[in-house]
Amino acid sequence: MKKTLREMRPVYVVGIGLHRYQRLSETPYVALGLTAVREALRDAGIEWRSVESAYTGTALIGMAAGRPMLRHLGATGIAMAQVENASASGSTAVRQACLDVASGLTDVSLAVGVDKPAPLALASAKTNIRDLVGRRVVPFTHFALLANEYMNRYGATAEQVASVAVKNNRNGANNPYAQRQRAVTLEEVLAGSPISGALTRLQCCPIGEGAAAVIVASDDAITKLGITRSRAVRVTASVSRSERVYHGAKNFDAELTRETVAQAYDEARISPDDLDVVELHDAFTIEELLYVEAMGLCGEGEGARMITSGEADIGGRCAISASGGLLAMGHPIGPTGVGQVAEITRQLRGEAGVRQQPDARVGLAHMVGVGAVCVVHVLQKDA
Amino acid sequence: MPEGASESSLFSASPEPALNGGRCRACGYVFFPPQWYGCESCGAPAEQLEPKSLRGEGTLASFATVHLYQGKDIEAPFTVGVIVLDDGPAIRAILAQRTDEGLRIGDRMRAVVVAVDGEGGRANELRFAKQETVR
C-alpha cells in the first residue's frame, strides 16, 4: 500500500548550517560546503560518523561533487549521491534524505546544497526542438511576461509588484547569511536598471555562491545520540511534481504550484490558514504574488493586496520569505532549497532573532525548477 | 544555429506566413513548436503525430520589452509577446516592433516574415505584428 511521508517513520530536522550566499569568489566549493555541514553537525550536537547517507544538491559544479568535499569530514564509507533538479536541486536533496530516514534505511541523513556560478548547459537545448525565440527568452523574460499578464488581469500596479522586493530586502537585511543585506526603498527598486518588462534589477534574484546543510534524523537517533528533542522540527510532507499539459493560456507555473502545494497540505493534514512561515521561489517579484495565490494564502488577484497590507511581513498573518527569500538571501541554485528548510527550522524553533515570526509552528518551503518541476516540504513544531 | 526563427522548419512564408505545428491523431492535441518524439498530452508515439499548419493569426496575451540581452543575434531592446493562435496553441514570438509602444493585451496579431542581418548573413525570421500595422 502506498504511504505518505507522514504515514512513514517520523523524520525530524535536527541540525542546520549555512555558508553565507555571496558573489562568486576564489573560495573553493569544498570550503563552502564544509562550513555549512560542520555548522549543521554542531547545531545537532552530533559527530559526522553518525551520518549514514549524504545527498549533495548541486547543478553547476560538475560530476561527482559530493565526495571530494565530504571526505574531509572523515571518509566513513556512507552512501553518497548528487542530486540535480535545476533550482529545486537542494529541495530534492532534502527529500531524498527524508525518505532514507522515513523508510528506515537510515537513522541520520544529510542534505547539503552547494554551488558556484558557472555557464549553464541546459539539456533542453539538446532536444533538437527549437522554437521562435530560443535563448532570447530567459527566465527573467518568462516572468516579465507573466507579470504583464497578471497586472493586466487584476489591475495590479508596477509599484505593487515591486513592493515584494522592498519586503524581502528588509528581511534579508537582518539575515547574516543573505547575499543582499541592505533594506531598499520602493523608489530605489523602481528606479533600478530595467531588465525585462516591468522587472528592474532588484526585482530579480542574485545568483551567487554559497552552501546550506540540513541533518534529518529518526526518533531512535534523537534518543540514542542525545539530540535536544525540543529543537527538533518534524517534516510532515514532502511532495515533488512536474508540469502537465495545461490547455489554453493557463499560467503553468501557478498551476504546478497549486497542485503540488495542495498535495502537501493534504499529506500534512493542514490548511493554508495553519501556515505561519513560508519560504517560496521568489526568484522574481511577480512570482511571490502568483504563488501566495496558488497556495491559497489569499484569493485570486489578491496577492498584491496581501503583500502591501503587511499580512506577509514578519509579525503579520503569515511571514513570507522571512529569510529575505531568493530576492535578498539569494539563489545560488543547489543551496537554495536546503537554505529554505534551514530558515523554516530556525523559525519554528523560535531561534530566528530579529527575523522571528511570533509563535511560528507550521512552515512550508517551496521551490520551482526550470522545466518545470516543483518541490514542497511542510515542517511542523511538536507535530 | 541562429537563435531566431530563421529555420524554415518552423514556418512557411507563403502564400501567407504560417507556423509549422503538429497534431496528435490519437487525442487531437495541437502543438507548436513541432516535435516528433511523442505526444506530450496523451503519450501517443511518433507515428500518431502529423504536421499541421497553423495560421499566423492570434491574440496578444502578454508582452515584455527585453532590455538586457547579451547575445549577438538581436539588439536590445526588443519585445517578446505571448500570442494565443486562432488555431489553438499559445506561442512566444519576437514582435516586429522593438518596444511595447501602443501594445495592449487583446490586440489582434499577425505573423510577418522579416529579413534580419545576423552573423550567418541575411536570414528570414518569423515575427508578429499588430494587425492594423501590417497592411
Side-chain angles (χ1 to χ4, degrees), chain A residues 28-187:
Chain A
Y29 86 88
V30 177
L32 301 173
L34 289 174
T35 298
V37 177
R38 287 185 172 124
E39 188 172 289
L41 289 167
R42 274 197 306 278
D43 180 53
I46 65 172
E47 304 285 334
W48 172 244
R49 63 172 179 271
S50 300
V51 177
E52 296 159 283
S53 68
Y55 294 94
T56 301
T58 183
L60 304 172
I61 291 172
M63 188 188 287
R67 194 172 176 281
M69 169 175 73
L70 297 171
R71 72 189 180 99
H72 300 290
L73 296 160
T76 53
I78 62 168
M80 286 181 187
Q82 287 63 247
V83 178
E84 186 277 301
N85 204 12
S87 291
S89 296
S91 310
T92 307
V94 170
R95 177 172 159 82
Q96 294 307 312
C98 288
L99 294 180
D100 273 9
V101 171
S103 66
L105 287 174
T106 66
D107 276 316
V108 181
S109 289
L110 167 76
V112 52
V114 61
D115 252 321
K116 291 176 75 78
L120 281 181
L122 283 180
S124 60
K126 301 176 181 174
T127 60
N128 281 2
I129 300 171
R130 301 183 192 283
D131 61 19
L132 293 173
V133 294
R135 273 176 283 186
R136 292 172 182 175
V137 172
V138 293
F140 58 64
T141 295
H142 173 76
F143 287 105
L145 289 165
L146 294 184
N148 180 250
E149 195 269 338
Y150 181 93
M151 291 161 71
N152 181 68
R153 175 177 304 214
Y154 298 119
T157 63
E159 287 75 14
Q160 286 177 315
V161 177
S163 68
V164 173
V166 177
K167 172 178 69 68
N168 295 359
N169 278 278
R170 185 166 65 235
N171 294 344
N174 289 317
N175 183 351
Y177 298 107
Q179 181 163 346
R180 289 178 180 160
Q181 294 184 24
R182 191 175 65 82
V184 296
T185 63
L186 183 60
E187 293 67 33

Side-chain angles (χ1 to χ4, degrees), chain B residues 68-128:
Chain B
L68 190 67
Y69 183 68
Q70 289 169 338
K72 299 269 185 277
D73 57 296
I74 191 171
E75 193 182 333
F78 59 90
T79 298
V80 177
V82 174
I83 294 120
V84 180
L85 297 177
D86 293 347
D87 283 342
I91 63 147
R92 295 194 293 207
I94 307 298
L95 301 189
Q97 59 183 85
R98 285 191 72 187
T99 70
D100 59 8
E101 193 182 342
L103 283 181
R104 292 179 66 91
I105 286 175
D107 281 345
R108 290 292 299 164
M109 306 296 287
R110 181 189 296 273
V112 290
V113 177
V114 179
V116 179
D117 290 318
E119 283 174 275
R122 176 158 282 218
N124 284 336
E125 281 193 17
L126 193 74
R127 297 188 177 180
F128 274 74

Side-chain angles (χ1 to χ4, degrees), chain A residues 180-215:
Chain A
R180 289 178 180 160
Q181 294 184 24
R182 191 175 65 82
V184 296
T185 63
L186 183 60
E187 293 67 33
E188 203 176 337
V189 175
L190 290 167
S193 322
I195 303 294
S196 188
L199 300 177
T200 51
R201 191 182 71 85
L202 288 170
Q203 300 191 63
C204 306
C205 66
I207 294 181
E209 64 181 24
V214 160
I215 296 169

